[in-house]
């Protein structure tokens, strides 16, 4: 089994006290899919009328559960719904066996929860290329269905962890026309993290009422500047899944409501940041802001080039304000840039201006910024109004320790 280090130094002080969301319950169990002595399967059950939106990995080698979820979005919401997640095995690159496993799990869950099979969504995370021992899961589905708890979301967050060093959760409550609407979400993710959905599993629940099509549009839009703007190691998973379930149990229709949209965005961004803070071996949380690009797309290309550069990330780990590596990353990105217009800063320290080292640059100040856990790298391209912000972490030997023997 992979060597998992102590809790990330960037972790929140504690798992948040997530509020119960009306219309959603949870249960977890130790099925022994891969891990021993810990819960590794979670089941969330939602009330009839729940709208479900989703965003998934763009990998060409998507896992069977991902393909199944994608096919089910937009279905009839009159009945209840369920989300079942296992950790320890990704059920990816498993051919017909993978499809059979999904079929068996969704059928068992549908039967136990008395809902249509088309309303059961599953996710699997862990080792790729090994058949999923789905019978270990189906044997426990009835128990999971019978032990649902409205306050079980924290246990669910722990059950879906793989190389994570801490469970991830976030919530928000928003007042709409004098009535409270609740949002609560959990996530897992630590390695194999790169935009193209953003590699992780995320489940967000709200008691708001919203048509599926509108919820889908909102989730897809917010995904673009939250989960799709983080990277740990530039590797896109086969299994990434983001599902957002709106039960409607509050009776509050949030269609077109900006306050709800902002609150959902805030929960998504907080979960995305927590994934970066748990990057395998991470000791630094880094915000990279690129301005002055020709377009927003160019700005994001530059920002991700910086964030994904092993040379930049190892310099950050070594607390070295090596701005030359930032110049390199901008130059190789493929987006428009002009060497003689480029400006760079580390925190508040201006390093370079208009293609040359700043006259007032003091490396001791830049080095002092690099010693912190929360870092900022700003780059102005000098060509236009395009801007983008992405988040990443440093690259340490801890990443190698975890991934060199992940399957052993």
């Amino acid at each position: 089994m992979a060597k998992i280090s102590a809790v990330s130094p960037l972790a929140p002080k504690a798992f948040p006290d997530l509020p119960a969301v009306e219309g959603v319950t949870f249960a977890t169990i130790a099925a022994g899919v891969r891990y021993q002595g810990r819960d590794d399967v979670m089941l969330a059950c939602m009330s009839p009328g729940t709208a479900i939106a989703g965003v998934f990995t763009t990998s060409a080698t998507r896992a069977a559960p991902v393909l199944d979820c994608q096919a089910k979005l937009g279905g009839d919401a009159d009945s209840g719904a369920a989300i079942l997640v296992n950790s320890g095995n990704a059920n990816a690159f498993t051919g017909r066996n993978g499809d059979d496993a999904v079929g068996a799990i969704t059928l068992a869950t549908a039967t136990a929860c008395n809902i249509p099979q088309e309303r059961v969504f599953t996710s699997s995370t862990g080792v790729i290329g090994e058949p999923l021992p789905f019978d270990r899961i189906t044997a426990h589905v009835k128990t999971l269905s019978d032990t649902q708890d409205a306050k079980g979301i924290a246990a669910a967050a722990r059950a879906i962890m793989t190389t994570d060093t801490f469970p991830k959760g976030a919530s928000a409550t928003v007042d709409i026309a004098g009535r409270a609407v609740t949002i609560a979400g959990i996530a897992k993710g630590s390695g194999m993290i790169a935009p193209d959905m953003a590699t992780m599993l995320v489940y967000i629940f709200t008691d708001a009422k919203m048509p599926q099509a509108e919820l889908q549009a909102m989730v897809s839009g917010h995904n673009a500047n939250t989960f799709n703007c983080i990277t740990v190691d530039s590797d896109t998973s086969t299994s990434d899944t983001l599902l957002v379930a709106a039960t409607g149990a509050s009776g509050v229709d949030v269609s077109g409501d900006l306050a709800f949209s902002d609150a959902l965005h805030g929960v998504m961004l907080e979960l995305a940041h927590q994934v970066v803070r748990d990057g395998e071996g991470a000791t630094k949380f880094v915000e990279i802001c690129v301005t002055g690009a020709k377009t927003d797309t160019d700005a994001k290309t530059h920002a991700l080039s910086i964030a994904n550069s092993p040379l930049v990330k190892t310099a950050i780990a070594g607390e070295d304000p090596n701005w030359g590596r930032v110049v390199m990353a901008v130059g190789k990105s493929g987006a428009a840039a002009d060497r003689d217009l480029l400006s760079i800063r580390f925190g508040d320290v201006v390093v370079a201006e208009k293609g040359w080292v700043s006259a007032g640059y003091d490396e001791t100040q830049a080095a002092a910024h690099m010693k912190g856990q929360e870092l900022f790298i700003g780059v102005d391209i000098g060509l236009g109004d395009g801007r983008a912000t992405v988040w990443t972490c440093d690259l340490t030997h801890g990443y190698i320790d975890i991934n060199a023997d992940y399957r052993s």
Side-chain angles (χ1 to χ4, degrees):
M1 197 65 63
K3 298 175 183 177
I4 308 303
S5 62
V7 175
S8 168
L10 306 174
K13 291 183 179 179
F15 187 81
D17 184 14
L18 300 183
V21 175
E22 189 176 359
V24 185
T25 55
F26 303 87
T28 64
I29 205 162
V33 174
R34 184 176 184 87
Y35 306 119
Q36 300 299 317
R38 53 154 284 195
D39 287 357
D40 57 356
V41 177
M42 84 91 173
L43 175 66
C45 295
M46 289 143 288
S47 58
T50 298
I52 296 181
V55 184
F56 306 91
T57 179
T58 60
S59 170
T61 54
R62 294 189 295 282
V66 173
L67 296 172
D68 185 65
C69 284
Q70 287 180 301
K72 290 175 175 175
L73 284 185
D76 186 0
D78 288 342
S79 63
I83 298 172
L84 185 144
V85 186
N86 76 268
S87 59
N89 183 304
N91 193 21
F93 199 60
T94 49
R96 177 64 182 271
N97 287 335
D99 297 332
D100 291 344
V102 170
I105 292 169
T106 56
L107 178 59
T109 304
T111 302
C113 299
N114 194 28
I115 58 176
Q117 192 171 357
E118 291 72 26
R119 293 285 286 168
V120 179
F121 300 83
T122 68
S123 300
S124 297
T125 179
V127 174
I128 295 171
E130 296 181 5
L132 175 65
F134 62 85
D135 56 318
R136 300 180 190 177
I137 298 172
T138 56
H140 295 286
V141 167
K142 182 64 166 59
T143 300
L144 287 166
S145 177
D146 290 344
T147 56
Q148 291 286 301
D149 182 353
K151 297 181 180 180
I153 192 169
R158 293 180 176 89
I160 64 177
M161 292 167 54
T162 53
T163 60
D164 306 60
T165 69
F166 64 89
K168 300 161 184 67
S171 67
T173 300
V174 58
D175 185 281
I176 299 176
R179 301 174 68 181
V181 170
T182 301
I183 307 170
I186 58 175
K188 69 82 53 183
S190 185
M192 203 182 286
I193 304 292
D196 262 336
M197 185 263 143
T199 52
M200 67 198 70
L201 300 181
V202 183
Y203 308 97
I204 299 173
F205 307 90
T206 177
D207 54 11
K209 182 179 181 181
M210 179 180 284
Q212 194 278 337
E214 185 173 343
L215 181 65
Q216 182 63 56
M218 184 179 292
V219 171
S220 295
H222 290 336
N223 177 67
N225 54 21
T226 57
F227 297 116
N228 245 15
C229 283
I230 66 171
T231 180
V232 168
D233 50 20
S234 81
D235 284 334
T236 298
S237 169
T238 59
S239 305
D240 302 334
T241 298
L242 160 63
L243 292 175
V244 179
T247 68
S250 69
V252 180
D253 192 332
V254 297
S255 301
D257 190 279
L258 291 180
F260 175 81
S261 179
D262 288 346
L264 178 60
H265 179 271
V267 170
M268 292 172 68
L269 186 60
E270 172 59 24
L271 290 172
H273 284 184
Q274 287 186 38
V275 170
V276 173
R277 291 181 181 279
D278 203 15
E280 291 170 342
T283 66
K284 311 281 187 180
F285 178 81
V286 189
E287 179 176 312
I288 298 171
C289 182
V290 173
T291 57
K294 277 191 173 182
T295 65
D296 289 348
T297 299
D298 274 7
K300 188 173 182 180
T301 298
H302 285 308
L304 288 174
S305 182
I306 298 166
N308 283 324
S309 166
L311 287 175
V312 172
K313 291 163 75 71
T314 50
I316 292 170
E319 302 179 341
D320 177 13
N322 192 333
W323 53 271
R325 293 184 179 181
V326 176
V327 174
M328 172 278 299
V330 170
K332 74 167 186 174
S333 77
D338 186 324
R339 178 196 63 190
D340 298 330
L341 297 177
L342 202 63
S343 298
I344 301 169
R345 63 189 175 99
F346 292 153
D348 294 329
V349 181
V350 178
V351 175
E353 297 178 280
K354 305 297 184 183
W356 195 248
V357 179
S358 174
Y361 176 55
D362 181 349
E363 183 154 318
T364 59
Q365 294 179 352
H369 177 70
M370 299 300 286
K371 291 185 181 299
Q373 288 187 333
E374 311 276 332
L375 304 183
F376 177 86
I377 297 175
V379 177
D380 191 87
I381 306 300
L383 294 176
D385 297 322
R387 62 185 302 122
T389 302
V390 304
W391 297 270
T392 190
C393 57
D394 54 344
L395 180 60
T396 71
H397 202 281
Y399 184 88
I400 298 172
D401 291 340
I402 292 168
N403 286 286
D405 62 353
Y406 180 69
R407 294 193 305 151
S408 62

